[in-house]
């Protein structure tokens, strides 16, 4: 599917004089079963996160606060998506190399994931990721 399989999902937002509320329901707003949630916070200036691909993991990435860029790469094409709203989620399908960069001070990145943490699902070497995407061992 490649990076065309990734897309921005507009999450519901309930607004009133007390502020905004956003919710995410499995099966309705995310196209996978949610088994894990993690978040990145207190990210130093110029720090870069990600820098890996996943064999089978589906994720939804949300900027809960602040702004950052997600660079998506399927081994053929590259695309940068800026996340800046807590009611937008970036769905990232399997076999995408991602880098998270340009975090603003105080940014919080929440990730919903389709399975528990499993290091064997990672590609941490870009060349190995590209080779695997081309069906090479
Ligand atoms: P890492 O993959 O480098 O984080 P990021 O994708 O944000 O760049 O993970 C940092 C460390 O945290 C690494 O030792 C693996 C561990 N980790 C877990 O134990 N559980 C998790 O759910 C995640 C995402 C990471």
């Amino acid at each position: 599917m490649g990076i065309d399989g990734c897309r921005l999902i507009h999450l519901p937002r309930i607004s009133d004089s007390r502020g905004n509320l956003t919710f995410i329901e499995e099966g309705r707003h995310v196209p996978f079963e949610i088994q894990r949630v993690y978040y990145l916070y207190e990210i130093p200036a110029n720090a870069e996160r990600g820098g890996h691909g996943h064999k089978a993991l589906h994720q939804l990435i949300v900027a809960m606060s602040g702004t950052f860029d997600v660079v998506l790469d399927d081994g053929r094409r590259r695309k940068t998506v800026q996340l800046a709203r807590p009611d937008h989620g970036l769905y990232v399908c399997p076999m995408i190399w991602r880098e998270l960069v340009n975090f603003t001070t105080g940014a919080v990145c929440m990730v919903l994931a389709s399975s528990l943490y499993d290091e064997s699902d990672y590609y941490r070497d870009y060349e190995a990721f590209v080779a695997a995407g081309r069906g090479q061992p």
Side-chain angles (χ1 to χ4, degrees):
M1 234 180 348
I3 53 176
D4 291 338
C6 302
R7 64 182 193 277
L8 204 60
I9 293 177
H10 291 215
L11 301 165
R13 183 167 69 158
I14 314 278
S15 301
D16 63 30
S17 59
R18 302 167 298 165
N20 301 321
L21 182 154
T22 286
F23 56 96
I24 305 173
E25 293 181 351
E26 180 182 292
R28 190 165 164 215
H29 306 114
V30 289
F32 56 84
E33 185 186 350
I34 301 164
Q35 288 202 355
R36 177 166 53 113
V37 178
Y38 66 91
Y39 34 96
L40 309 172
Y41 53 99
E42 295 172 4
I43 301 156
N46 299 318
E48 300 189 355
R49 304 292 314 214
H52 58 251
H54 285 284
K55 297 174 186 170
L57 192 73
H58 300 253
Q59 293 185 314
L60 187 83
I61 305 176
V62 181
M64 301 299 279
S65 184
T67 299
F68 53 88
D69 294 330
V70 185
V71 183
L72 303 170
D73 180 333
D74 61 11
R76 290 182 174 79
R77 285 184 299 146
R78 223 160 221 259
K79 183 166 112 177
T80 299
V81 179
Q82 187 187 63
L83 292 180
R85 301 175 53 143
D87 59 349
H88 283 176
L90 177 63
Y91 167 67
V92 181
C93 62
M95 291 306 291
I96 300 293
W97 187 270
R98 85 291 313 278
E99 286 159 13
L100 281 67
V101 297
N102 297 330
F103 289 91
T104 55
T105 304
V108 178
C109 168
M110 180 184 72
V111 183
L112 310 185
S114 64
S115 63
L116 304 183
Y117 174 73
D118 174 9
E119 185 61 33
S120 70
D121 185 67
Y122 281 73
Y123 292 104
R124 294 210 183 258
D125 177 75
Y126 182 74
E127 300 307 324
F129 163 77
V130 172
R134 293 187 176 149
Q136 294 158 6

